[in-house]
Amino acid sequence: MLSKERLYGAADFDLLCHQASDNERLRLHKNIHSDYGDPCQRLFIAMQPGSYVPPHRHSNPAKSETFVVLQGRIGLIFFDDTGQMRSAVEVGPSANFVLCDIPPGVWHTAISLETDSVFLEVKPGPFCPISPTDLAPWAPSSGTVGTGEYLNSLCSQFKLASTKSGYNPINSTPGASKSQ
């Protein structure tokens, strides 16, 4: 009888991080669940600094979401219904917390605070794309005007600056290098 257990380790994360670096969104996921209908959706997400995840919630349908940061550091930011930041927390092996459980309906976003950050995301299935009503109306959509500035305002909660779109508020130099 063949074993169905699957093991993941540093080499898998290195490859996922490399692929995320080459991805336009600067992040990439690898599903662990076998299909989108599984009752428990599990995936690894590699995220690089400068990746923008538009603030969103999971209320339609209502689903909780759990993040376990396995390497690097992720910044999680939580908002009220008007877009005012309620709190921001660093999560990762070198931070005070490695896991964050987000209840259904809570506005949130995630940013990478360190190169090659990897986290495990777990939420109830089946997979359901985010409803348009669960995308924050007060935040820019991916790739739209103002995204870089908004991402930098999020990064500033952690004393970081994104270099996405060449904008760097630390020195206000358009076209700043991604290597900063």
Side-chain angles (χ1 to χ4, degrees), residues 19-30:
Q19 292 170 331
S21 293
D22 292 340
N23 185 285
E24 181 180 345
R25 298 182 326 150
L26 296 175
R27 68 179 182 277
L28 199 67
H29 72 270
K30 176 175 179 45

Side-chain angles (χ1 to χ4, degrees), residues 7-58:
L7 299 172
Y8 300 93
D12 300 295
F13 298 157
D14 288 347
L15 177 60
L16 194 60
C17 289
H18 177 75
Q19 292 170 331
S21 293
D22 292 340
N23 185 285
E24 181 180 345
R25 298 182 326 150
L26 296 175
R27 68 179 182 277
L28 199 67
H29 72 270
K30 176 175 179 45
N31 291 343
I32 301 170
H33 51 274
S34 59
D35 69 50
Y36 291 136
D38 279 1
C40 183
Q41 301 289 294
R42 302 164 320 279
L43 54 147
F44 292 117
I45 300 175
M47 183 183 282
Q48 302 296 346
S51 180
Y52 176 62
V53 178
H56 62 282
R57 62 184 176 182
H58 303 278

Side-chain angles (χ1 to χ4, degrees), residues 73-153:
R73 290 179 304 127
I74 297 293
L76 295 173
I77 302 173
F78 303 95
F79 306 90
D80 67 17
D81 288 338
T82 67
Q84 294 298 308
M85 189 185 76
R86 288 189 310 118
S87 62
V89 64
E90 289 187 27
V91 185
S94 66
N96 290 330
F97 307 100
V98 295
L99 182 146
C100 183
D101 190 49
I102 304 170
V106 173
W107 293 107
H108 64 281
T109 188
I111 59 173
S112 177
L113 302 177
E114 205 170 284
T115 302
D116 295 342
S117 293
V118 178
F119 59 97
L120 173 67
E121 179 180 306
V122 180
K123 60 186 162 192
F127 171 75
C128 183
I130 293 178
S131 162
T133 60
D134 280 345
L135 291 171
W138 33 261
S141 299
S142 292
T144 61
V145 173
T147 300
E149 289 80 4
Y150 186 72
L151 178 58
N152 279 320
S153 73

